[in-house]
Amino acid sequence: MTQSSAIRAKGDFENLASDLFIGGRWRPASSGERIDVYDPSTEEVITSVANASIEDGIAAVDAAAAAAAGWAATAPRKRADILMRAYALMTERAEWLAELISRENGKALPDARGEVAYAAEFFRWYAEEGVRLNGEISMAPSGNNRIIVQYQPVGIAVLVTPWNFPAAMATRKIGPALAAGCTCILKPATETPLTAYAMAEILAEAGVPDGVVNVVTTGKSGPVISAMLHDPRVRKLSFTGSTEVGRVLLKEAADQVINCSMELGGNAPFVVFDDADIDAAVDGAMIAKMRNGGEACTAANRFYVQRGVLEAFAEKFATRMKALQVGPGYHPTTQLGPLVNAKSRDKVASLVSDAVSRGARVVTGGSAPERKGFYYEATILADVSPEAALVHEEIFGPVAPIVAFDSEEEAIRLANDTEYGLVAYVYTGDLARGLRVSERIESGMIALNRGLVSDPAAPFGGVKQSGLGREGAHHGLLEFTEAKYIATSW
Ligand code: NAD
């Protein structure tokens, strides 16, 4: 298959890279099998990509192993220059990439553009960070020897990513892996493989040597990833996806005691106190709930609103939700695209039915429109029972359940009543209260009077069953290193 390395023009979807990218070469799956890729706004097949076998997965490990020593020994500045070129190429192709993301994922173009900018930023951030991987030297407390600590690449990394941010979840792992001197194999989600292959093209063009980044798509994720995690040359797993699959992979990784970074599911509370600026809270709610149509691990999943301001908040929020333009993500006026597939749309519909059967009141939305594509209406539910399933499970769709609370203590108890702990949103006019509540909510990240936390320069990650480790910031670079301690005296 021809793989164009020419600058991608906006609207050019011909000859998309769709074969496996192994050792710097594009090749079909050894079995010749392909996987269909769908447009969620039409339910039609756009194209197909290679369906890797276990042998193909191991061939990618072979390629990563062959390139490992050379890449680890490459000067940090040279690695940084390549990442900076990748940042520039992504930025140059931003509009084309945004449209590609929108085609295979369904998200509205403004969200897709936001994702491309965010994703590219991980290459720039780690280009800057990779030349600052400083070690430490100190005197042992006994005075007998020096303690030297050096950060070395952890080794070959398997990167597994979800479909909801197909570019950003890949660059958030590839950026630090390359900056730290690791070679890697990216296994993107089956729903959004085209963006991953577009990233491979960009990285190759930026000068990443053959075998340093390999990309394999497969419809047999379980066996292919398992085989890689049982190959003794693999030393790192960086996974972003559901807690359910994360648990399976942690067990797989245990056999070889592989170093794991896990970015898993969320169940973000959005707490509005009665002293909050309600208009600002509604602005924040629109971002926290509706970015990516609710298909984000950081999406506000449960709205806890103090009783005195609940009606005002719900009414203003409903006005904004009703006004959203629904349609194919890549249409210029669309603000809310379809969900990624029928399974996601049906799950959202069943969560809403369950809440309504337990007494929830539909303020706006509440059903899937009669049209082609995996659409669901922007929905607000009030008087939601704390027992409703959607208060405990990730909704991953444009549905906002509102639950009333009376006291600060109760808000904290409700916010913490979950196995997850990725992010929480808190709106209050009292900074002391905001900080007090932020300290007590069990969550890796808090957005205080803001609807967005994601920032390449900040440590992103969760506590409890939302994950292990952090991505972004300097923390994300250290996840791809091992601290080597050398004891010596002189
Ligand atoms: P998923 O867990 O179904 O899939 C994630 C990846 O794992 C995909 O590449 C998939 O093909 C692969 N996979 C599935 N089963 C596997 C198996 N048995 N063995 C190996 N790999 C397997 O998640 P998804 O539906 O693609 O994405 C949505 C989930 O991702 C949500 O739970 C969301 O919260 C989470 N997410 C978390 C973050 C974060 O940073 N914490 C970011 C984005 C998404």
Side-chain angles (χ1 to χ4, degrees):
M1 159 149 302
T2 317
Q3 306 293 339
S4 163
S5 64
I7 300 274
R8 295 288 199 182
K10 183 177 177 305
D12 170 14
F13 292 102
E14 297 300 315
N15 299 321
L16 281 174
S18 65
D19 277 345
L20 308 176
F21 186 64
I22 298 177
R25 286 182 46 240
W26 298 92
R27 53 159 114 159
S30 49
S31 64
E33 285 174 30
R34 310 280 296 173
I35 316 166
D36 286 338
V37 183
Y38 291 85
D39 176 344
S41 18
T42 61
E43 307 183 24
E44 276 162 20
V45 173
I46 316 174
T47 183
S48 67
V49 294
N51 186 1
S53 61
I54 290 179
E55 292 68 39
D56 295 322
I58 296 303
V61 177
D62 292 343
W71 186 247
T74 300
R77 175 63 73 203
K78 192 163 178 211
R79 296 197 297 243
D81 285 345
I82 292 172
L83 283 172
M84 203 55 109
R85 275 200 293 281
Y87 163 76
L89 286 169
M90 268 191 88
T91 307
E92 208 172 289
R93 278 170 221 182
E95 196 57 25
W96 177 82
L97 280 168
E99 202 177 322
L100 181 62
I101 291 172
S102 183
R103 293 259 168 197
E104 62 177 353
N105 163 287
K107 68 176 76 176
L109 269 181
D111 284 332
R113 291 188 185 112
E115 179 183 348
V116 174
Y118 175 55
E121 206 52 60
F122 283 104
F123 287 153
R124 177 156 72 166
W125 173 262
Y126 284 107
E128 293 164 340
E129 214 56 16
V131 291
R132 290 173 179 74
L133 189 51
N134 300 329
E136 299 139 38
I137 180 165
S138 60
M139 176 69 86
S142 64
N144 293 336
N145 63 285
R146 303 298 201 286
I147 294 169
I148 301 173
V149 179
Q150 201 182 344
Y151 290 93
Q152 295 187 323
V154 62
I156 295 174
V158 171
L159 317 175
V160 182
T161 51
W163 47 261
N164 63 339
F165 289 94
M169 297 303 97
T171 61
R172 197 161 82 170
K173 298 184 189 307
I174 295 170
L178 266 49
C182 298
T183 59
C184 60
I185 302 114
L186 171 68
K187 205 299 286 171
T190 319
E191 293 83 352
T192 54
L194 301 173
T195 306
Y197 285 131
M199 292 290 117
E201 279 190 320
I202 283 173
L203 286 161
E205 210 176 317
V208 171
D210 294 351
V212 171
V213 176
N214 306 278
V215 183
V216 292
T217 42
T218 178
K220 294 162 269 205
S221 298
V224 171
I225 296 295
S226 174
M228 289 186 199
L229 296 180
H230 287 90
D231 185 313
R233 295 169 296 178
V234 170
R235 293 310 318 149
K236 174 81 194 179
L237 166 67
S238 179
F239 172 77
T240 298
S242 61
T243 297
E244 193 188 352
V245 174
R247 280 190 204 104
V248 171
L249 294 186
L250 280 170
K251 287 180 189 148
E252 293 271 358
D255 290 340
Q256 287 214 99
V257 194
I258 284 177
N259 180 318
C260 292
S261 300
M262 312 298 282
E263 294 288 348
L264 308 177
N267 180 11
F270 190 106
V271 181
V272 183
F273 286 99
D274 59 9
D275 57 8
D277 174 336
I278 297 301
D279 290 324
V282 170
D283 286 345
M286 288 303 293
I287 299 167
K289 178 75 256 180
M290 298 307 289
R291 192 164 67 108
N292 267 1
E295 292 178 309
C297 53
T298 50
N301 206 59
R302 314 168 271 156
F303 288 78
Y304 295 120
V305 184
Q306 204 155 8
R307 208 171 297 277
V309 294
L310 194 148
E311 276 314 313
F313 175 82
E315 196 187 312
K316 289 182 179 202
F317 192 13
T319 306
R320 296 279 294 278
M321 291 283 261
K322 274 183 208 155
L324 291 174
Q325 292 277 330
V326 179
Y330 41 84
H331 281 189
T333 54
T334 295
Q335 293 167 300
L336 175 60
L339 295 171
V340 74
N341 55 29
K343 193 170 150 220
S344 286
R345 193 243 347 252
D346 296 347
K347 182 184 173 198
V348 170
S350 87
L351 287 172
V352 170
S353 307
D354 168 74
V356 170
S357 74
R358 293 171 194 266
R361 171 167 58 92
V362 178
V363 180
T364 186
S367 57
E370 288 292 323
R371 62 186 285 178
K372 262 276 190 237
F374 309 119
Y375 294 92
Y376 198 86
E377 292 172 341
T379 299
I380 296 181
L381 303 176
D383 307 332
V384 173
S385 157
E387 306 304 317
L390 82 181
V391 175
H392 302 281
E393 288 176 34
E394 273 189 304
I395 302 170
F396 244 60
V399 176
I402 305 181
V403 179
F405 74 88
D406 292 299
S407 68
E408 186 177 310
E409 209 49 41
E410 187 188 4
I412 294 168
R413 184 179 56 73
L414 288 167
N416 287 340
D417 182 21
T418 173
E419 70 202 26
Y420 296 103
L422 188 61
V423 61
Y425 302 86
V426 177
Y427 274 81
T428 171
D430 175 350
L431 185 59
R433 165 185 263 175
L435 293 172
R436 186 167 66 231
V437 171
S438 297
E439 280 188 1
R440 290 188 56 202
I441 292 184
E442 297 158 359
S443 175
M445 303 176 284
I446 306 277
L448 181 51
N449 292 325
R450 284 181 55 80
L452 186 70
V453 283
S454 305
D455 187 326
F460 187 106
V463 300
K464 294 159 80 175
Q465 295 194 33
S466 283
L468 299 169
R470 294 292 180 267
E471 290 191 315
H474 195 69
H475 304 66
L477 183 60
L478 295 179
E479 300 273 328
F480 286 91
T481 65
E482 294 278 18
K484 162 81 60 73
Y485 154 49
I486 302 169
T488 189
S489 23
W490 60 76

